[in-house]
Amino acid sequence: MKKWRDRVKALIEPLKTEDVLWNNEVEANFFVSRILGLCEIMMILALALELAGVFQVGLSMIVKLLLLETVLTGTSVVCTWYFKGNRKWLKYLLCVTAVSVTTSLYCMLDYDVMLLLALPVVLSCRYYSKKFTKNIAMLTTLLIVASTFVTAWRGMLDLNYVTLKSGTMEVGSRLLDSVMSYGYDKGQYLFDLVSNALLSRLMLFSIIAAACTEFADKGHKMILEQQQILTKTARISTELSLATDIQTAMLPCIFPAFPEHEEVALFATMNPAKEVGGDFYDYFRVDDDHIAFLIADVSGKGVGAALFMMIAKTLLKNEALSGKTVEEICSNVNQQLCENNDAQLFVTCWMGILTLSTGTLSYVNAGHNPPLICRKGETFEYIRGQHDVALAFFDDSEYHAHDIPIQQGDALFLYTDGVTEAQNEKNELYGEERLREVLNKNIGKLPHEMIPVIKEEIEAYCNGAEQFDDITMLMSMLR
């Protein structure tokens, strides 16, 4: 019972959007941490080269900044892996660290790291949050502006943006003081700084930031659309699985079918395809002298066909148990199925009632595949007599019964089109003639022996090709 409740719950409860977005955020945390890990390696190398005097800048602030950013980056990476990316604050720590690292490197290396300024906003768009990417872009912009002026004042920015005459100048504790001591106008210095250094960087950064913001927004919508598709797919899969189980549970599966009538051997199976169809069979004792058995196939696929199948099966059995003839059964069921049949489904059906005392089988073929009969000492041949319209096709359809004698040793084989229309990897059908040949090769087998043989032959013929339709078989024998 719990299994059914769980499956119904999975059917009616959609996947949570929050869970999908959170899983993406965790993955993004690991992605950003790996990129910061590469930055960590770069800063450790830069720090080692600075301490070794390779850069020969001689400013203690560079060493302090490199050391600070190395510690901050290492802490962010370690936190991500320690908490397995599963903390809300990790994305803020990681992206703020990225902003801090890039702006610090920008202060130290100036033009060589211009493209690195875009790294934080590029990383932030991996979270697929337009708002978050915008915030990181604004923070990066503020720090770019601030670092540009601070480094121009403190002396950690080169003079590529300042036009000076040839010669040398004395470098003081601040770059601004050195420039002013050379007689360079402070207003001109500020104008050159903004026009030649800051604006070009901000223009490049704004283009990249705009593209990343748009990408983050599109990514967010893509995740939501994908989540909706997954929800629908999971719902459909659960519906089909539930319908298959219900469909299978509705079919009788106790054998021998009639313990009180040992002279009647009957066996049946239904192997559903991945996509639920409407195949069904049934057998039951009408009274002490009559046994009914049938096989049918509802048009269409899915849950609707499975529900229609259950209705048709119930109506056929109820009408038969009321003592009506087989043509009356089909006529009454046809009229009932036609009522409110908005889905315009129909049922092909072969139904027979065997009178044990006389050995007469009265049957109606309502648009179904022709069965095969094997007389004692002979071979299986198709019964290709006239058949009537499928049930639920027209409300005024007429059905006609046909009587055939059934003697000891005779066998009757019923099937649905899933048998003859089974396909191999070349899309070739199994076919009626191949079915007849296999049956004739195994003449003498009882129903519970014959049907597994046919099933194995079909599987061997298909050779792993996907099953597109239900495969249903019923065989009866009078012994």
Side-chain angles (χ1 to χ4, degrees):
M1 191 67 181
K2 184 177 182 298
K3 175 184 175 182
W4 285 94
R5 286 199 303 267
D6 292 342
R7 298 181 70 174
V8 173
K9 182 178 180 181
L11 178 64
I12 62 177
E13 284 189 358
L15 299 174
K16 294 182 178 179
T17 304
E18 295 80 6
D19 294 338
V20 177
L21 294 175
W22 175 244
N23 291 335
N24 171 73
E25 186 169 317
V26 172
E27 293 176 2
N29 286 337
F30 281 109
F31 171 76
V32 176
S33 69
R34 286 193 291 268
I35 301 301
L36 287 181
L38 296 176
C39 293
E40 174 82 355
I41 296 174
M42 183 178 66
M43 286 186 294
I44 290 175
L45 291 175
L47 182 61
L49 292 173
E50 175 63 29
L51 294 175
V54 176
F55 287 160
Q56 297 179 355
V57 177
L59 294 176
S60 61
M61 183 161 295
I62 291 181
V63 177
K64 293 178 182 178
L65 278 175
L66 280 173
L67 185 60
L68 175 63
E69 298 304 335
T70 301
V71 173
L72 180 59
T73 304
T75 301
S76 301
V77 173
V78 170
C79 287
T80 302
W81 291 89
Y82 178 79
F83 292 109
K84 299 180 179 179
N86 195 15
R87 291 293 186 276
K88 286 287 186 183
W89 46 267
L90 275 176
K91 70 176 182 180
Y92 300 102
L93 174 63
L94 289 167
C95 288
V96 169
T97 299
V99 173
S100 177
V101 168
T102 53
T103 51
S104 296
L105 292 174
Y106 169 60
C107 290
M108 297 177 232
L109 304 177
D110 188 33
Y111 291 103
D112 296 332
V113 293
M114 281 182 61
L115 290 178
L116 196 61
L117 294 174
L119 179 62
V121 72
V122 171
L123 293 178
S124 69
C125 70
R126 176 59 181 82
Y127 290 94
Y128 301 133
S129 171
K130 185 176 182 179
K131 181 179 179 181
F132 183 67
T133 301
K134 279 186 174 180
N135 291 337
I136 294 299
M138 291 173 61
L139 176 62
T140 305
T141 301
L142 292 175
L143 289 179
I144 289 174
V145 174
S147 60
T148 299
F149 285 99
V150 169
T151 51
W153 176 57
R154 293 297 302 174
M156 288 189 292
L157 193 66
D158 63 32
L159 301 177
N160 290 333
Y161 59 87
V162 178
T163 303
L164 296 176
K165 297 178 182 180
S166 58
T168 59
M169 70 176 186
E170 180 182 355
V171 179
S173 60
R174 295 183 303 176
L175 179 60
L176 181 60
D177 292 340
S178 301
V179 173
M180 293 304 103
S181 66
Y182 191 72
Y184 200 80
D185 182 70
K186 184 180 291 187
Q188 185 64 39
Y189 179 70
L190 179 62
F191 177 80
D192 290 340
L193 175 68
V194 173
S195 61
N196 297 336
L198 184 59
L199 288 182
S200 61
R201 288 166 171 76
L202 290 181
M203 289 177 63
L204 176 63
F205 177 75
S206 63
I207 294 173
I208 297 176
C212 290
T213 302
E214 182 67 16
F215 178 78
D217 186 47
K218 293 295 183 182
H220 182 79
K221 293 178 181 178
M222 180 184 67
I223 286 180
L224 295 181
E225 291 175 358
Q226 184 180 30
Q227 184 264 339
Q228 292 175 355
I229 294 173
L230 291 174
T231 299
K232 292 179 181 179
T233 303
R235 184 184 296 275
I236 292 172
S237 178
T238 304
E239 285 180 350
L240 293 177
S241 178
L242 189 61
T244 300
D245 288 348
I246 295 174
Q247 180 183 20
T248 305
M250 286 287 293
L251 304 179
C253 57
I254 298 176
F255 301 100
F258 306 106
E260 66 279 10
H261 296 288
E262 296 182 356
E263 71 277 18
V264 179
L266 187 146
F267 190 77
T269 61
M270 195 274 285
N271 297 101
K274 292 182 179 180
E275 187 175 8
V276 179
D279 281 16
F280 67 95
Y281 65 84
D282 202 0
Y283 56 84
F284 50 89
R285 190 178 66 167
V286 179
D287 53 43
D288 291 338
D289 194 35
H290 295 87
I291 289 177
F293 53 93
L294 62 97
I295 192 167
D297 184 5
V298 177
S299 63
K301 303 289 183 184
V303 178
L307 293 174
F308 202 75
M309 158 256 170
M310 289 188 287
I311 295 172
K313 178 180 178 298
T314 302
L315 292 175
L316 287 167
K317 185 171 184 178
N318 289 342
E319 290 291 328
L321 291 176
S322 65
K324 295 182 176 65
T325 61
V326 68
E327 61 265 34
E328 291 174 336
I329 294 170
C330 291
S331 295
N332 292 343
V333 171
N334 175 67
Q335 292 177 359
Q336 295 177 69
L337 290 177
C338 285
E339 296 177 1
N340 301 320
N341 185 13
D342 295 334
Q344 297 183 342
L345 297 174
F346 60 89
V347 186
T348 65
C349 176
W350 191 100
M351 182 174 188
I353 297 179
L354 176 63
T355 304
L356 298 174
S357 59
T358 63
T360 300
L361 176 64
S362 180
Y363 73 90
V364 167
N365 188 340
H368 198 73
N369 303 82
L372 296 101
I373 190 168
C374 179
R375 301 296 184 180
K376 184 177 181 180
E378 299 180 11
T379 60
F380 278 94
E381 298 295 339
Y382 284 98
I383 303 176
R384 297 191 181 277
Q386 294 182 350
H387 58 78
D388 301 309
V389 180
L391 303 178
F393 215 92
F394 302 113
D395 57 2
D396 58 350
S397 297
E398 295 183 357
Y399 296 90
H400 307 86
H402 304 273
D403 295 338
I404 56 174
I406 299 294
Q407 300 175 355
Q408 185 179 5
D410 292 349
L412 188 68
F413 184 83
L414 310 175
Y415 61 96
T416 60
D417 57 8
V419 174
T420 53
E421 295 180 5
Q423 298 181 3
N424 59 17
E425 64 275 8
K426 297 180 181 179
N427 296 325
E428 298 171 338
L429 300 181
Y430 187 75
E432 292 183 350
E433 187 57 32
R434 184 175 282 103
L435 173 62
R436 188 179 69 85
E437 291 175 358
V438 174
L439 286 169
N440 287 329
K441 288 179 182 178
N442 295 275
I443 289 178
K445 292 185 182 297
L446 293 174
H448 71 277
E449 299 170 331
M450 180 70 82
I451 287 182
V453 170
I454 303 299
K455 181 182 177 183
E456 290 177 3
E457 288 287 340
I458 294 173
E459 291 177 349
Y461 177 79
C462 294
N463 193 27
E466 186 177 0
Q467 178 184 338
F468 290 102
D469 200 359
D470 298 344
I471 295 177
T472 307
M473 296 176 281
L474 184 149
M475 181 176 175
S476 64
M477 176 183 287
L478 196 62
R479 54 184 180 178

